Amino acid sequence: MIQANDPKLRSWIEVAPDSDFPIQNIPFGIFSHDGRTKRAASRIGDVVIDLSALAELGYFDDLQIPDLSVFYNDTLNDFIRLGKETTRRVRNRIAELFAADNPALREQAEHKEQVLFDARQVHMHMPVEVGDYTDFYSSLEHATNVGKMFRPDNPLLPNWKHLPVGYHGRSSSIVVSGHPVIRPKGQVLPAGADKPVFSATQRLDFELEVAFVVGKDTQMGDSITTAEAEDYIFGLVLFNDWSARDIQKWEYVPLGPFLGKNFASTISPWIVTLDALEPFRVESPKQDPEVLDYLKFEGKKSFDIHLEVYIQPKDSAPSLVCRSNFKYMYWNMSQQLAHHTVNGCPMRVGDMCASGTISGPTPDSFGSMLELSWGGKNVVKLRDGIERKFIEDYDTVIMRGYAQGDGYRVGFGECAGQVLPAKK
């Protein structure tokens, strides 16, 4: 068992029972405080841990880290590039230092002043530099729902159950939680019209997704097998793949998503390692028909991660609109990465691969407004008598996710973004 995953561990930092960040999590991110430089961090409870300070004070000296400067960088790419053997040692050391029965740091008041920060007083940044971003389309329920709306007689296209469908997105518009999203403009085809018009989207949507961060480079021509895939996955973040449905509908034939997708995607700031999620493995959904050999896998490759989406209009409280689960995904991450590289496509540390919208089997588990409102035919009721069919200006979409353990949970924190009006 990975040392930091011990369910009996408790920290000398106070952690609320419903906190996403118990000592069993120990995620990684990039933070700054009081205008100082960005640097690497972890978190327990409501306390952010400055990893550069721990390194400077000597707490990592015996971990055989070849270059401690990785903790002073403004992204985690070089830290991740050290490899899982090293990053696992760091995570285990953090668990050791903050264990309730360890006084090594607990009794060092001056050190704690340099290392520990109130999570409410820091600014979180993009945790990695994302070189390339791929979005998959791997939820059977979501693909079927969308297909029913637009192709009632043939909801699933013939290839869907034979390969993980995906497309290459735009990494430059991925932003961290808290960054505003500006309503995009583009061509749309009004109902009954035979010519498009240029306007701001009237059908702005969220998509509930989880993305994995690539943890190892490959060379052009290399392929990753499903058995090897998890060695190449460092960790996961929540991912909101914002979508302009009216722009998307007009432009996506024949080549797929473009301006309807590439204006913004929001991620949660903390990368939860695959190590931390190890206790929450579950069986993947049964795949029928049988997949080709390179997509076959052994063992539990899916993860039981509860997911929630809230919409918060301006001057109102958040309203829960969706409960779903990462375990519903028809195609798992190992299959996605194997398919992504089967043609020799090279991967780089920091690349991000999103799951596609995660919808479940019941209407309250649909992971987009497109499904929740069934293409705008139904209203979604929020607090205070407010109704929505799609996302309006000054609405904030909040995503949360966690895996529930025995007496603790391993979570991601918030993935939130407020919509601002289109620029004139």
Side-chain angles (χ1 to χ4, degrees):
M1 184 179 70
I2 300 168
Q3 177 187 337
N5 290 0
D6 185 349
K8 297 178 182 178
L9 273 180
R10 294 295 179 267
S11 175
W12 48 264
I13 292 176
E14 184 177 351
V15 179
D18 61 350
S19 171
D20 281 351
F21 303 105
I23 196 170
Q24 289 84 3
N25 190 342
I26 309 180
F28 294 98
I30 295 292
F31 88 113
S32 62
H33 180 261
D34 282 348
R36 293 175 59 194
T37 57
K38 303 174 188 177
R39 50 207 189 273
S42 188
R43 177 172 175 172
I44 296 176
D46 291 327
V47 175
V48 169
I49 302 161
D50 185 341
L51 301 186
S52 70
L54 283 179
E56 189 170 323
L57 293 167
Y59 288 100
F60 295 154
D61 281 357
D62 61 342
L63 296 187
Q64 300 176 330
I65 299 172
D67 184 3
L68 291 174
S69 70
V70 296
F71 299 111
Y72 298 84
N73 291 351
D74 60 5
T75 71
L76 293 172
N77 294 56
D78 287 342
F79 171 67
I80 295 171
R81 195 170 277 113
L82 294 175
K84 279 196 175 185
E85 185 177 335
T86 300
T87 59
R88 185 174 291 143
R89 285 200 298 267
V90 172
R91 182 168 170 267
N92 284 337
R93 172 54 54 85
I94 296 169
E96 178 186 336
L97 285 171
F98 289 92
D101 59 356
N102 188 347
L105 176 60
R106 185 187 66 205
E107 305 302 325
Q108 297 288 333
E110 290 185 8
H111 287 189
K112 286 195 295 183
E113 282 189 14
Q114 298 175 60
V115 170
L116 305 182
F117 296 84
D118 186 333
R120 295 163 295 189
Q121 303 298 320
V122 306
H123 186 70
M124 298 303 299
H125 303 272
M126 280 289 294
V128 291
E129 181 181 358
V130 184
D132 282 301
Y133 151 55
T134 299
D135 191 29
F136 285 95
Y137 187 51
S138 292
S139 162
L140 176 61
E141 290 81 4
H142 174 66
T144 302
N145 288 338
V146 174
K148 285 178 180 177
M149 290 180 215
F150 301 111
R151 299 180 306 275
D153 297 332
N154 186 26
L156 280 184
L157 292 174
N159 66 343
W160 198 92
K161 285 192 171 183
H162 292 276
L163 56 85
V165 174
Y167 72 93
H168 292 290
R170 185 75 180 172
S171 61
S172 63
S173 54
I174 299 176
V175 295
V176 75
S177 179
H179 195 288
V181 173
I182 298 170
R183 182 175 295 273
K185 297 178 287 189
Q187 288 192 24
V188 300
L189 185 68
D194 58 4
K195 292 182 180 179
V197 298
F198 179 76
S199 76
T201 180
Q202 300 302 305
R203 293 192 158 208
L204 184 60
D205 201 355
F206 67 81
E207 288 193 344
L208 171 61
E209 306 193 19
V210 170
F212 67 81
V213 178
V214 173
K216 286 173 67 174
D217 295 334
T218 66
Q219 300 300 311
M220 186 177 291
D222 290 348
S223 298
I224 300 170
T225 68
T226 57
E228 300 167 330
E230 290 184 355
D231 292 336
Y232 290 81
I233 298 173
F234 175 70
L236 279 62
V237 294
L238 300 180
F239 194 97
N240 183 354
D241 181 27
W242 296 92
S243 301
R245 298 301 187 186
D246 42 6
I247 296 173
Q248 179 185 6
K249 183 178 180 180
W250 173 239
E251 73 175 358
Y252 85 107
V253 176
L255 292 181
F258 188 36
L259 300 187
K261 293 280 193 177
N262 68 4
F263 59 94
S265 300
T266 303
I267 67 168
S268 52
W270 295 103
I271 302 177
V272 177
T273 64
L274 214 56
D275 280 352
L277 295 168
E278 182 67 27
F280 308 103
R281 291 181 179 273
V282 291
E283 298 286 350
S284 298
K286 179 176 173 56
Q287 295 181 328
D288 183 25
E290 185 178 21
V291 299
L292 295 178
D293 285 349
Y294 79 94
L295 290 170
K296 293 179 180 176
F297 63 93
E298 296 181 355
K300 297 178 179 180
K301 298 293 187 182
S302 295
F303 295 84
D304 184 3
I305 302 174
H306 303 273
L307 300 167
E308 299 174 344
V309 182
Y310 298 78
I311 297 175
Q312 183 176 10
K314 189 177 182 180
D315 300 324
S316 182
S319 295
L320 177 67
V321 296
C322 168
R323 280 194 180 99
S324 192
N325 197 298
F326 191 45
K327 69 182 180 182
Y328 295 145
M329 300 305 295
Y330 187 87
W331 296 103
N332 61 54
M333 293 183 291
S334 294
Q335 291 177 306
Q336 290 170 343
L337 193 50
H339 183 66
H340 200 317
T341 61
V342 73
N343 67 342
C345 172
M347 306 300 293
R348 293 174 291 187
V349 168
D351 286 355
M352 199 165 283
C353 295
S355 60
T357 304
I358 304 168
S359 293
T362 58
D364 65 343
S365 65
F366 294 167
S368 67
M369 291 298 283
L370 180 67
E371 296 164 90
L372 291 167
S373 72
W374 207 253
K377 294 179 180 178
N378 305 320
V379 297
V380 177
K381 295 184 181 297
L382 310 181
R383 294 174 182 262
D384 305 322
I386 298 171
E387 297 179 342
R388 289 287 184 270
K389 292 184 177 180
F390 290 94
I391 306 302
E392 298 189 6
D393 288 348
Y394 303 108
D395 286 352
T396 299
V397 176
I398 304 164
M399 296 180 176
R400 298 189 178 115
Y402 62 90
Q404 185 63 53
D406 184 9
Y408 70 97
R409 61 170 52 170
V410 171
F412 294 81
E414 282 192 354
C415 174
Q418 185 183 42
V419 176
L420 300 183
K423 289 187 175 181
K424 295 182 179 179

